[in-house]
Structure formats: structure tokens, C-alpha cells
């Protein structure tokens, strides 16, 4: 039976491209979305039409109880979860002095606690099978730090620390844990930035373009593959050379 991959934030952007790339590679796919129901349903139709064994689940990754219920449903439906991609994320551009307590808590609730939640429900299952693969989506700003995105950068740096520590703890159980740190990728998340600011940023990228969602999805699928079995605890930078 083909491996099952669980992808959070699969309704749009990078997560959606990863869902399609895993489906094309023959994996069974469980897609987590929150608000983009229409896009998730369209994706489900597309996956079924292409013959992929798949299911979509609505869930707020920041809720421990909701993620627990969804993980239980996934394990009942697919029998196992071989690969977990913690991709769901939010961002916000604000001066540090304008960041409210609520902004800070929301950022960490989705970007860090969401990753913790899915890991805590699925890792016991992976440990009992002595096999698993976890890919967390950080950001170049988690590596470098971004002005006017202190809370975002801090949450993504936390994901890197989490990944490195978890990789050490889970290696003996046959579980790989890695991070992908994308650069500037053309998705809804960057709409807030505006055309001129985006152009100025892209001018600084050695490869002279924004990344596509497929640029990231391809690396995620590689990290999940047998060819990447000796890679763990790493941060893979996919940013056109800017960092
Ligand atoms: P998008 O804004 O295009 O998509 C975000 C996805 O996350 C959506 O599917 C959304 O679901 C989901 N999501 C957000 N909050 C929640 C939540 N509370 N519970 C469940 N799902 C949630 O973002 P990208 O595709 O650009 O980003 C994907 C990941 O890549 C993020 O972690 C982001 O930080 C990271 N990244 C992105 C970069 C970029 O330049 N785009 C650069 C570096 C890192 P729905 O719409 O259904 O609510």
C-alpha cells in the first residue's frame, strides 16, 4: 500500500502544490484546510478524478482538541500516517511597536503550536511503527530575521529549533524530521507586500525571480522520499540564493 501523507494548509499556496505533487507521485493524501472550503473541495474533486486516494478535513491547526479529532479520523480512514507536512501558516507585516499581545499569540498559535499539535497526535503512531517523516515549513525569515515581521520571524525560528531537537530525539525511532525554509514565494501570503516592494525584493534575489509553489513542493516531496532517508535535523533553504 502506498504511503499516506498528511498536509496542513493544503487548500492554497505551497501546501496545495505539495498535495498535487504527492498525488502525482502516487501517495495517499489527507488534506487539512481551515477557511478555504471551496478551494479544498475543488482540490478534492481534482484528486479523486486523478485516481488519488484522498480526503479533506476542516481543522484549525492551533486547536489541540480539533487536531486530535482529525488525526484520529485520518488514522481510522487511512490506517496510518507515514509523512506529516506542517505547512499551515500565517504572516503579518507590522512595526514591532504596533504588535499587540493578540497578534503575538495568534502568530505562535498557528505557526508553532499548530506544528506541535499535529506532531503530538501523530508521533506516538510513528514511534510504534518505528518509521515516519516530518517536514516542517519554516521561512528564510526564521533563519535571517525580517524587519517589521518580528513575531513571524520568531515563530519560524522556533520551528527550526523544534525541528532540530525533535530530529535528535526521534532518530533512534526511525523518524526523520526536517525543515524547509522558503524564500519569497508567489502566493496569497505575499499579496499584502504590494507590487513595488515585491519587485525591489526580487531584484536582490540572485536567480532574479520569485519562487513558485512548485519550487517548494518539489523539495518537500524529495525530503519525504526514500532518497532522502539519511537527511534529518536539517534546514533546507529554497530561496533563489538570497540567503
Ligand atoms: P497561503 O496564505 O497561500 O496559505 C496558507 C495556508 O495555511 C492555507 O491553506 C490556510 O488554510 C492554512 N492555514 C492558515 N491558518 C490556518 C489554521 N489556523 N488552521 C489550518 N490551516 C490554516 O500561504 P503560503 O502557501 O505562502 O505559505 C505556506 C507556508 O509557507 C506557511 O507556513 C508560510 O509561513 C511559509 N512560507 C511562505 C513564504 C512565501 O513567500 N509565501 C515564504 C516562507 C515561508 P485556509 O485558507 O483553508 O484557511
Amino acid at each position: 500500500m502506498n504511503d499516506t501523507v498528511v498536509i496542513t494548509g493544503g487548500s492554497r499556496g505551497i501546501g496545495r502544490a505539495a498535495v498535487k505533487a504527492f498525488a502525482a507521485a502516487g501517495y495517499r493524501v489527507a488534506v487539512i484546510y481551515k477557511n478555504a472550503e471551496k478551494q479544498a473541495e475543488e482540490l478534492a474533486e481534482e484528486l479523486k478524478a486523478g485516481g488519488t486516494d484522498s480526503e479533506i478535513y476542516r481543522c484549525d491547526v492551533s486547536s489541540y482538541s480539533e487536531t486530535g479529532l482529525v488525526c484520529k479520523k485520518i488514522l481510522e480512514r487511512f490506517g496510518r500516517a507515514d509523512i506529516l507536512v506542517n505547512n499551515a501558516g500565517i504572516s503579518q507585516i507590522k512595526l514591532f511597536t504596533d504588535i499587540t499581545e493578540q497578534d503575538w499569540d495568534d502568530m505562535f498559535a498557528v505557526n508553532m503550536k499548530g506544528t506541535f499539535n499535529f506532531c503530538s497526535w501523530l508521533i506516538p503512531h510513528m514511534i510504534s511503527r518505528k518509521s515516519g517523516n516530518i517536514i516542517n515549513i519554516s521561512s528564510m525569515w526564521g533563519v535571517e530575521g525580517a524587519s517589521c515581521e518580528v513575531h513571524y520571524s520568531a515563530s519560524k525560528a522556533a520551528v527550526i529549533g523544534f525541528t532540530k531537537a525533535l530530529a535528535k530525539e526521534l532518530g533512534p525511532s526511525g523518524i526523520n524530521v526536517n525543515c524547509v525554509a522558503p524564500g519569497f514565494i508567489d502566493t496569497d501570503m505575499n499579496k499584502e507586500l504590494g507590487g513595488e516592494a515585491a519587485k525591489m525584493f526580487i531584484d536582490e534575489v540572485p536567480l532574479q525571480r520569485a519562487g513558485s509553489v512548485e519550487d517548494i513542493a518539489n523539495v518537500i516531496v524529495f525530503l519525504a522520499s526514500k532518497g532522502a532517508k539519511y537527511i534529518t535535523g536539517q534546514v533546507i533553504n529554497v530561496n533563489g540564493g538570497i540567503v
Side-chain angles (χ1 to χ4, degrees):
M1 194 183 286
N2 292 350
D3 282 358
T4 301
V5 53
V6 179
I7 306 182
T8 70
S11 47
R12 294 185 293 115
I14 292 168
R16 189 183 184 92
V19 167
K20 290 186 186 188
F22 276 110
Y27 289 82
R28 303 191 297 159
V29 193
V31 181
I32 313 299
Y33 72 98
K34 185 177 166 234
N35 295 322
E37 188 160 18
K38 194 162 170 286
Q39 284 103 317
E41 280 170 356
E42 280 167 8
L43 182 62
E45 287 301 314
E46 196 180 320
L47 293 172
K48 291 225 164 80
T52 299
D53 187 5
S54 57
E55 210 71 59
I56 58 169
Y57 300 90
R58 208 213 74 82
C59 168
D60 182 346
V61 298
S62 69
S63 161
Y64 188 70
S65 56
E66 272 187 42
T67 52
L69 283 174
V70 159
C71 288
K72 189 167 173 282
K73 283 187 195 164
I74 291 170
L75 292 176
E76 281 167 4
R77 161 70 171 78
F78 291 94
R80 58 188 226 231
D82 305 277
I83 299 147
L84 167 63
V85 182
N86 286 303
N87 161 79
I90 56 171
S91 67
Q92 188 180 44
I93 298 174
K94 265 191 175 183
L95 285 172
F96 179 72
T97 45
D98 290 337
I99 293 173
T100 63
E101 183 186 14
Q102 192 64 54
D103 292 334
W104 182 271
D105 288 346
D106 290 347
M107 194 63 74
F108 274 75
V110 178
N111 293 357
M112 184 60 256
K113 194 180 171 214
T115 298
F116 164 79
N117 286 341
F118 266 88
C119 284
S120 56
W121 291 113
L122 293 180
I123 284 171
H125 162 78
M126 291 179 178
I127 290 174
S128 67
R129 299 186 62 237
K130 281 222 155 251
S131 153
N133 200 323
I134 298 166
I135 299 152
N136 299 322
I137 308 305
S138 176
S139 163
M140 67 175 160
W141 300 135
V143 179
E144 289 284 294
S147 167
C148 297
E149 292 189 70
V150 170
H151 51 346
Y152 179 75
S153 302
S155 71
K156 291 297 185 178
V159 169
I160 292 174
F162 178 88
T163 300
K164 289 182 175 178
L166 200 58
K168 287 184 178 165
E169 189 167 323
L170 297 183
S173 298
I175 300 168
N176 297 53
V177 192
N178 289 293
C179 231
V180 176
F184 185 92
I185 311 302
D186 191 13
T187 69
D188 294 344
M189 188 171 269
N190 284 318
K191 278 197 176 136
E192 200 189 337
L193 201 59
E196 198 45 43
K199 190 182 170 308
M200 275 168 64
F201 184 85
I202 290 163
D203 282 346
E204 300 296 317
V205 176
L207 289 179
Q208 292 286 288
R209 64 170 175 89
S212 68
V213 289
E214 290 79 17
D215 286 326
I216 307 302
N218 291 339
V219 176
I220 295 171
V221 173
F222 166 67
L223 284 173
S225 72
K226 304 248 176 318
K229 259 296 166 207
Y230 202 53
I231 301 175
T232 199
Q234 304 303 310
V235 181
I236 311 296
N237 294 290
V238 188
N239 56 42
I242 195 158
V243 175

